[in-house]
Amino acid sequence: HHWNASTRNRQIAKFFSQRGITVVEIAMPYHFERSRPGSLYADYMLSSNLGRTIQSVRQAVWDGRKLIRWLKSEGYREVSVLGMSLGSWVAGLIAAPDSAVSKASLFLTAGSLADMVWTGRATRSIRDSLEPVIELTDLRRAWGPLNLENYAHNLARPDLELHVVLATRDKVVLPDLSRRLIQKLKAVGVRPNVLELNCGHYSLAMPPYILLAGLSLKRFLSCADK
């Protein structure tokens, strides 16, 4: 799910479960039942506290990898990961080193989390807190472990297939940042399945865009491994 999500992705879960694909939804730190008491939003998951943001994303990745280990122990042979917005960073970081993941679908993603926070409309307050004390170049360095571009070679492993959905009118994760990640992936030999939709970050969740994204994802998950 995305940062500050208030509901789970029940429509997508139902869509795939009705088609014979088991769906397990996982809550990122500080979301849903994991919310910090008294907090109105998931301010500890992504914030101007650089170390805590790294720690939170790392915890989300560990949670995902533990879940995959459990699924494998239960007999599931093929495991795919899907992440949306901030969740796509988590999904990408899970898939990059983990050979148990055969497919990864990243909705509304980019490479540099630092650039996303610096340029995105939804993270303006975080930039306002950071800008007086740190430059973007230093933020990129500090959040280097969270930059999917730094894991391009891992994502290029031959037993992993990638699917990317981006919104061409996105003001939260700017399309240029998404395309920069795609170009980085292509430079190391990845040929991701890319769907570009003429919508914004939040309107992706509405028809017809979510239907188009869902059908594209269904084809990606259903296609035979190369």
Side-chain angles (χ1 to χ4, degrees):
H1 60 81
H2 59 84
W3 182 45
N4 286 327
S6 58
T7 59
R8 298 183 183 274
N9 297 303
R10 299 189 185 281
Q11 286 182 314
I12 290 179
K14 183 178 180 180
F15 177 83
F16 285 106
S17 64
Q18 289 177 338
R19 287 157 178 79
I21 298 175
T22 299
V23 179
V24 181
E25 295 184 84
I26 189 167
M28 290 194 295
Y30 305 108
H31 289 80
F32 306 133
E33 66 272 13
R34 306 177 74 179
S35 296
R36 189 166 56 89
S39 63
L40 299 178
Y41 60 99
D43 55 339
Y44 274 26
M45 181 71 195
L46 178 63
S47 71
S48 57
N49 187 317
L50 306 187
R52 189 166 61 205
T53 297
I54 292 175
Q55 184 180 45
S56 298
V57 174
R58 182 172 61 181
Q59 182 64 56
V61 172
W62 282 348
D63 294 342
R65 297 194 70 183
K66 288 178 181 177
L67 174 59
I68 290 168
R69 299 281 83 76
W70 178 79
L71 289 169
K72 285 291 187 177
S73 73
E74 291 294 304
Y76 288 91
R77 294 187 302 274
E78 293 187 18
V79 176
S80 304
V81 293
L82 164 64
M84 299 183 178
S85 195
L86 182 60
S88 72
W89 269 265
V90 174
L93 292 170
I94 290 171
D98 198 331
S99 60
V101 177
S102 58
K103 296 181 180 181
S105 181
L106 311 179
F107 281 32
L108 306 173
T109 195
S112 171
L113 189 68
D115 283 87
M116 186 277 282
V117 165
W118 209 259
T119 59
R121 180 181 293 173
T123 51
R124 182 69 208 192
S125 62
I126 298 178
R127 174 178 174 170
D128 289 344
S129 297
L130 289 171
E131 201 163 15
V133 294
I134 190 172
E135 296 181 352
L136 177 56
T137 52
D138 294 321
L139 183 61
R140 288 171 178 155
R141 189 178 304 112
W143 279 352
L146 309 181
N147 187 343
L148 290 181
E149 292 176 12
N150 293 336
Y151 302 90
H153 283 89
N154 302 81
L155 292 167
R157 57 186 174 84
D159 55 347
L160 177 67
E161 295 181 63
L162 287 177
H163 175 252
V164 178
V165 176
L166 63 92
T168 60
R169 293 186 282 119
D170 199 333
K171 302 299 182 184
V172 176
V173 181
L174 299 189
D176 284 349
L177 298 180
S178 301
R179 295 188 181 109
R180 193 172 78 186
L181 171 63
I182 292 168
Q183 289 303 313
K184 180 73 173 182
L185 292 170
K186 289 182 176 179
V188 296
V190 184
R191 291 296 177 265
N193 184 323
V194 179
L195 174 66
E196 295 192 21
L197 295 173
N198 185 29
C199 62
H201 194 84
Y202 301 109
S203 54
L204 177 65
M206 298 183 288
Y209 307 112
I210 192 60
L211 301 176
L212 295 171
L215 290 172
S216 176
L217 177 58
K218 179 181 180 292
R219 287 192 295 268
F220 172 70
L221 295 178
S222 301
C223 68
D225 292 334
K226 296 177 181 177

